Amino acid sequence: MRLSARALSGVTGAAWRAGVALRGQDVARWFPGHMAKGLKKMQSSLTRVDCVIEKIVQQLEEGEGLRNVIFTNCMTDENVRQVIPAVSQLIGSSHRYHRGENVDYCVMVAGIPNVGKSSLINSLRRQHLRKGKATRVGGEPGITRAVTSRIQVSERPLVFLLDTPGVLAPRIESVETGLKLALCGALLDHLVGEETLADYLLHTLNEHRLLGYVQHYGLGGTCQDTGHLLKSVAVRLGKTRKVKALTGTGDVNVVQPNYAAAARDFLQAFRSGQLGPVMLDRDLLRGHPPAETEA
């Protein structure tokens, strides 16, 4: 699959540079082996759980054997405190089928990559058991690569959780959806390209007049050109690299801005909230669906 410049221009309008080529051709079909294996394992494990905590904003497909689903998003202490009572109330008011004789509750935690499933489990353990981390967490997708064994998070009631790998739909239906997922860290940056993501992010910020990046990087005004922005960021942060230039007198080392490093810093500033609150789906709220991906 190739994500064409024509599809991109339809997504972002005239402000998108039509000549930009996406490096990662698999952004719309990113379904690694561990995702497929993890999804099958999750499906087979559903008979061992009482309910599912879904740490995402999109619902799993119906007909997968799910009986009870709790949705959670914000990770404030108050919201974390409400999870176990919500689990107890939901399971207590539902038919437990073959698990009716079990005194413990078993809950599966599901969600897209890098949404904070393992962090939720660790927060529940700290809050209810005063225990440390039970699962590894990280700032990129793919940290949890298999369905884990049961992890206790509460004594009264006795609750165990199953951590699961983040899974996406086998096919992402539009270029823009893939770009948004990548910006949020649900896809690995190199599948799309850091500078391409920075380009899309800059366009989105400018389009919606979310100009926190201007103050964050001490710029004189907004930037319409991503190359100019990344050069300014690289110079400001001292992110440069030496490259060899062939001249008539031989090789000469030339210092150039490190655009890739600047793009990474720009993306990290966005993801950590340093550019202010950003709603990537404003176009959907305005009734503009994302463009379809070309095969």
Side-chain angles (χ1 to χ4, degrees):
M1 167 172 292
R2 182 171 181 78
L3 306 182
S4 70
R6 185 165 64 84
L8 285 172
S9 63
V11 168
T12 58
W16 184 275
R17 298 195 309 275
V20 171
L22 286 179
R23 289 168 45 199
Q25 297 183 10
D26 295 330
V27 62
R29 291 187 181 274
W30 193 64
F31 203 66
H34 78 273
M35 276 195 190
K37 182 178 179 181
L39 184 57
K40 291 180 180 178
K41 182 65 174 178
M42 290 165 63
Q43 292 169 335
S44 65
S45 299
L46 288 174
T47 57
R48 299 190 290 117
V49 304
D50 296 293
C51 77
V52 174
I53 295 176
E54 192 175 10
K55 186 72 171 64
I56 55 176
V57 293
Q58 113 190 32
Q59 296 187 13
L60 293 174
E61 294 292 331
E62 296 181 0
E64 297 293 346
L66 295 181
R67 300 184 297 274
N68 302 319
V69 179
I70 294 175
F71 299 93
T72 180
N73 187 17
C74 187
M75 281 278 290
T76 64
D77 289 342
E78 178 59 31
N79 285 344
V80 172
R81 275 192 290 271
Q82 295 174 9
V83 171
I84 297 300
V87 166
S88 300
Q89 181 179 2
L90 180 61
I91 298 176
S93 61
S94 304
H95 188 0
R96 298 185 69 194
Y97 300 93
H98 63 284
R99 285 189 50 79
E101 297 182 359
N102 294 73
V103 297
D104 64 285
Y105 295 159
C106 186
V107 181
M108 177 182 291
V109 181
I112 65 174
N114 202 31
V115 78
K117 299 179 295 298
S118 298
S119 295
L120 174 62
I121 292 175
N122 291 333
S123 295
L124 288 170
R125 280 177 58 83
R126 282 194 301 270
Q127 196 164 98
H128 294 281
L129 297 178
R130 301 293 187 265
K131 299 289 187 181
K133 292 181 179 180
T135 61
R136 184 169 160 237
V137 298
E140 63 181 41
I143 295 298
T144 302
R145 302 184 69 85
V147 178
T148 65
S149 57
R150 304 198 320 169
I151 302 170
Q152 184 178 354
V153 295
S154 174
E155 185 69 36
R156 295 183 180 179
L158 184 58
V159 179
F160 293 87
L161 298 188
L162 292 178
D163 194 12
T164 62
V167 293
L168 295 170
R171 176 182 172 83
I172 299 172
E173 294 300 331
S174 75
V175 174
E176 189 167 16
T177 299
L179 290 169
K180 290 177 180 178
L181 285 169
L183 278 180
C184 293
L187 295 171
L188 292 170
D189 289 346
H190 75 266
L191 292 174
V192 183
E194 291 150 334
E195 294 178 44
T196 297
L197 286 175
D199 202 1
Y200 178 69
L201 175 59
L202 178 62
H203 166 79
T204 301
L205 296 177
N206 286 340
E207 182 182 37
H208 299 304
R209 306 301 296 170
L210 302 172
L211 308 179
Y213 72 90
V214 176
Q215 181 178 0
H216 178 72
Y217 288 114
L219 304 175
T222 60
C223 290
Q224 298 299 323
D225 179 73
T226 307
H228 178 70
L229 171 66
L230 297 183
K231 181 178 180 179
S232 299
V233 171
V235 171
R236 179 177 178 82
L237 301 180
K239 296 182 179 296
T240 59
R241 61 179 181 175
K242 291 183 178 181
V243 297
K244 287 186 177 181
L246 183 61
T247 69
T249 57
D251 293 344
V252 177
N253 288 327
V254 178
V255 178
Q256 291 185 347
N258 190 331
Y259 290 95
R264 286 192 292 271
D265 191 273
F266 186 39
L267 295 174
Q268 180 57 33
F270 159 72
R271 291 165 179 163
S272 61
Q274 298 178 59
L275 305 184
V278 178
M279 174 67 171
L280 294 176
D281 279 335
R282 288 191 177 197
D283 54 339
L284 296 181
L285 296 178
R286 295 172 180 172
H288 300 295
E292 292 298 319
T293 297
E294 288 192 355

